[in-house]
Amino acid sequence: MPALNPSTITDGTVTMYTEELKGNLFGIIPITFSPESPPPLDVPFADFTKVKIKQAGQFGGTLRIPGLRNTIEPS
C-alpha cells in the first residue's frame, strides 16, 4: 500500500550519505546496504519499498517528510 504522504526531495541534485539502508529492492528483494555490505554496482536509479535508513547526511535539494519527528539521543 503506497504512503498517503510520501517523502519528497526536490530542487536540484541531491547526494545522500547513509550509514545503513534496508528495504525491498524493486519492491521484492529484501536487502541491506552498509559499509560492511555495500551495493555491488553503482546504478543511476533504484526503487525501494519498506525503507529504513540511518542517514548521516544530505547535501543539496529540499527534503520534505510529512509527520517527521526528529530527535537527538545521548551517546
Side-chain angles (χ1 to χ4, degrees):
M1 182 166 145
L4 297 177
N5 294 306
S7 300
T8 59
I9 300 176
T10 58
D11 302 326
T13 300
V14 176
T15 302
M16 291 178 68
Y17 294 94
T18 62
E19 296 172 17
E20 184 178 82
L21 184 148
K22 287 184 177 185
N24 291 345
L25 181 60
F26 302 115
I28 55 173
I29 304 167
I31 196 157
T32 300
F33 294 134
S34 69
E36 292 78 28
S37 59
L41 301 171
D42 185 12
V43 296
F45 173 81
D47 185 39
F48 285 85
T49 60
K50 298 183 180 179
V51 176
K52 291 189 178 188
I53 291 179
K54 291 181 185 175
Q55 185 171 346
Q58 171 203 332
F59 299 92
T62 302
L63 172 63
R64 289 185 180 85
I65 304 174
L68 173 69
R69 291 182 58 209
N70 198 10
T71 61
I72 298 174
E73 298 178 11
S75 320

